Structure formats: structure tokens, C-alpha cells
Amino acid sequence: MRLFFAAAVLALPTALHAEPMSLDDALRLAETRAPELQAREAGLDAARSAAIAADRLPDPKLNLAIQDFPVTGPDAGRFNRDDFTMQVIGVSQDFPNPAKRRARATRAQADIGIARADEAVTAQDVRLATALAWVDLFYAKKRLKELDLLDAGLGDLQATVTARLASGAARPAQALEPDQLRAAINDRRSALAAEIARARAQLARFTGDPVADTAGDPPPPTVDEATLRAGIDALPRLRALDARTLAADAETGLARADKRPDWSVNAAYGRREPNYGDLVTLGVTIDLPFFSKKRQDPKIAARASEATRARLDREAAKRDITAALDADLADHRMHHEQLGNARSRLVPLAKKRAELDLASYAAGKLDLGTALLSTLALVEAEVDALAREAEVARDAIRINYIYGETGR
């Protein structure tokens, strides 16, 4: 039903999702439309179906035979001329030992756990990529808006230059300086337009909306370090390694079960020439694992070593995640400090300098080029502050989505 619903959603017209979307809306769309998640769901369904048959008995076997048919002597090639030839019909049933059947069931359940853990890892990756694309698009649009505001203000400045040229208070070359600044702004606008296109393409890749756009504000860039550290063991990537460790243990149990004999029962009915009586055969076949030191024991040791490796890989992964969390938290603190410095010092200083230089230009004490460079520096400071704000938001999303999503 989930796969059917997802296919139905994919078939809906794009116009249904053409409006700007909040971050939560984008995440919900990605969870419904991302093909990776649908593939993992199909894999989980496959594992569940396979588990149904894991510990079942093998199918019975039907045996049809002509037994003791003469090929030499006076009765060669003839049926029912002696008391040996029989038409036999029989059935047999294999019975793997109970330990082996339990081990197969455990292995099948481990496969379900692996499929479920892989689905959780993929869901985490999809949500993270979607959220980062949304934030990148949001802040790229915001930085572009700052450039547009500067570009709009150049019209007033151009009028001022024209008036000064008419009065003879400015050199003719100064009439070109606003256009030069506008050209520099256009270069930055082109870069931001490309950044917007990349972010929109990434957002469309997961939401399925080719004209994906943002609405609303990003979440607060807060991080609860204590909660993140307490939940490391429940992270999807470690749960996936836990599932693989259980699968390795199940393989070890399956190898140990090979030391116990399997057995089978069979029954057959033999029909002979009417002058002789028919025969019934009943039998039991039992495996004899007499040479376990050369057969089963090496396999058990190999599987046990693989289980040990799985546990060590899990421990190594936990250490890697802990170290990565420490590094990401350090970067987040650094970006917070840089953002605070931009807001409290760099932008106010650039704004004050631009105001003073424009006032000096208006008073005829400063050339227009220097005043314009100060104005451009102010815009660059504001755009840089937005870039730092975006970095802080990206940090918070990465940290919360990578280290904090334990229940999905």
C-alpha cells in the first residue's frame, strides 16, 4: 500500500506542488517522493517475505522408478516375468535439525533488521540533503536581494553625478563609475543566480517539484550537545552496524548447527507381477558429521571471526561519529563567533564608513570612486554576514540531522 501511494503521488501534476514550500513541507515531499526511500521500502518488504519461508521444512520429494528390470537373460526387456521387477512410487521428506531451522529464522530476522536500518540511513540522508538544499536556496535568494537593493540605489547616485556634471563639480569620467559598480554587482548577481539554480535543482531532485521554491524561515540554529551525545548509540548508521553484527552472529549459529545431523524419512510402494506380492519400503536417513574438525569447525571459526570483525567495525564507527561530532560542534561554535563578529563589528563599521564617504563626496571632499567602493564594501559585508548566517544554519541542520535523528 505504501508503494502504491507513493506511485500515485508521483503521478500527480507538478502544478499541485508548484507553490513555495516551507522546510517541513519540503521534507514531507522528499519522504514521499524520493526514489531511494521507495527502493529501501521494497527491500524491507522483500526481507519480510523471505523470512516467512526461512525456517520451513523443505518440500517433500516424489520418487518414481522401475526397479530390478532385467536387461540380460531369458527375461531381458520384459516386464513382470520374474519376481524382482517392480514399479515403485515413493515419497521422502527431509528434516533439517531444529537448531539449523532456528538459526535460519534468526538470520532472516537479522536481514529484516538490516533492511530496516538501511531504510533509516537512507531516510536520514534524504532529509539532510533536502534540508541543506532548502537552506542554500533560502540564503542565496536573500543575498541576491541585498545586491538588488544596492543596484536600485545606484539610480539615485547616477542622478547626483549627472547634476554635478552639469554644474561642473565633477569630472566627466566620474559618470562612468556608477556603471562600473553596476557591472561589478552584475558579476556577483550571476554567481548568486547560479547558486540559486544549483540549490533549486537539488531541492527539486528530492521533492520532485521542478520549480521548487522556499517559503517561511529556517529553523533556529540551536544544538543540544548533551542530548546528541546521549543518543549516539541509537543513530541509524550504528543501528545498521548492530543489525549486521546480529546477522554475523546468526551465521555463526548456522555454522554450529551443521554439526548436528539432519535426517529424512522415506516411504515407497513397489508393485510386482500379479503372481507375487507387492512390497512396501520405509526408511530413515541420518547425516553423520564425523569429520567436523575438517569440515564444520573451520566454518564455525570463520563465522565467529566475522562476527568479531562486525563488532570491531561498529566500535570504530562509533568513535568516528563521536570525533566527527566534536569537530562539527567546534566548527559550529566558530561560525557562530564569526557571525557575531560580522553583525556586531564588520557590518556596522562598513556602514559607518560608507555613510562618511558619501557625506564627504556630497561635500566635495572625496572622489566618487572611493565613495562607491565604500558602498560596495558595505554590501559585501552584508552579503558576507548572510553567508555566515547560512553557514551557521547549515551547521545546525547537519548536526541535528546527522547526530540527532535516532527515531526514524
Side-chain angles (χ1 to χ4, degrees), residues 103-108 110 245-255 307:
R104 288 174 179 171
T106 302
R107 182 65 174 87
T245 301
L246 292 177
D249 289 338
E251 289 287 351
T252 304
L254 194 57

Side-chain angles (χ1 to χ4, degrees), residues 1-3 37-56 104-105 107-117 119-120:
M1 287 298 294
R2 283 188 292 269
L3 291 177
L37 290 178
Q38 298 173 34
R40 293 298 177 269
E41 183 66 27
L44 179 56
D45 290 341
R48 287 169 176 160
S49 296
I52 296 173
D55 61 343
R56 305 298 179 185
R104 288 174 179 171
R107 182 65 174 87
Q109 291 301 314
D111 287 339
I112 293 175
I114 291 174
R116 186 178 290 114
E119 183 183 33

Side-chain angles (χ1 to χ4, degrees), residues 187-237:
D187 284 343
R188 288 161 175 78
R189 181 184 287 108
S190 297
L192 283 174
E195 187 174 338
I196 289 173
R198 286 193 299 269
R200 179 171 282 119
Q202 186 72 355
L203 187 58
R205 182 255 183 272
F206 291 103
T207 63
D209 184 358
V211 290
D213 203 355
T214 60
D217 295 323
T222 56
V223 172
D224 188 342
E225 182 175 344
T227 299
L228 295 176
R229 294 189 185 281
I232 284 181
D233 285 318
L235 293 177
R237 280 172 173 75

Side-chain angles (χ1 to χ4, degrees), residues 248 252 256 298-312:
T252 304
R256 288 196 179 99
K299 292 182 180 179
I300 294 172
R303 299 296 180 268
S305 295
E306 289 176 356
T308 300
R309 183 184 65 180
R311 287 182 171 81
L312 293 175

Side-chain angles (χ1 to χ4, degrees), residues 51-261:
I52 296 173
D55 61 343
R56 305 298 179 185
L57 291 175
D59 292 331
K61 299 174 183 178
L62 175 65
N63 179 36
L64 301 174
I66 300 296
Q67 185 171 316
D68 297 332
F69 182 74
V71 294
T72 61
D75 294 326
R78 299 180 182 181
F79 283 101
N80 299 326
R81 294 300 299 270
D82 58 33
D83 60 347
F84 296 108
T85 302
M86 290 186 294
Q87 301 168 25
V88 179
I89 180 171
V91 292
S92 63
Q93 175 66 60
D94 293 330
F95 289 90
N97 69 77
K100 183 178 291 185
R101 292 176 62 188
R102 288 193 297 270
R104 288 174 179 171
T106 302
R107 182 65 174 87
Q109 291 301 314
D111 287 339
I112 293 175
I114 291 174
R116 186 178 290 114
D118 288 343
E119 183 183 33
V121 171
T122 302
Q124 184 186 48
D125 292 340
V126 167
R127 286 176 56 81
L128 174 61
T130 303
L132 290 178
W134 191 95
V135 166
D136 289 343
L137 180 57
F138 175 86
Y139 279 103
K141 288 167 52 183
K142 202 169 182 180
R143 294 199 299 274
L144 182 59
K145 186 176 180 181
E146 289 291 335
L147 289 180
D148 290 339
L149 291 175
L150 175 60
D151 196 17
L154 289 178
D156 296 336
L157 189 59
Q158 185 70 58
T160 301
V161 173
T162 302
R164 290 176 66 94
L165 285 172
S167 65
R171 293 178 289 106
Q174 289 182 335
L176 304 177
E177 291 176 346
D179 290 334
Q180 289 177 322
L181 179 57
R182 187 174 282 113
I185 293 173
N186 287 337
D187 284 343
R188 288 161 175 78
R189 181 184 287 108
S190 297
L192 283 174
E195 187 174 338
I196 289 173
R198 286 193 299 269
R200 179 171 282 119
Q202 186 72 355
L203 187 58
R205 182 255 183 272
F206 291 103
T207 63
D209 184 358
V211 290
D213 203 355
T214 60
D217 295 323
T222 56
V223 172
D224 188 342
E225 182 175 344
T227 299
L228 295 176
R229 294 189 185 281
I232 284 181
D233 285 318
L235 293 177
R237 280 172 173 75
L238 290 183
R239 283 172 21 216
L241 292 175
D242 288 337
R244 283 167 172 77
T245 301
L246 292 177
D249 289 338
E251 289 287 351
T252 304
L254 194 57
R256 288 196 179 99
D258 281 338
K259 297 186 72 171
R260 300 186 181 185

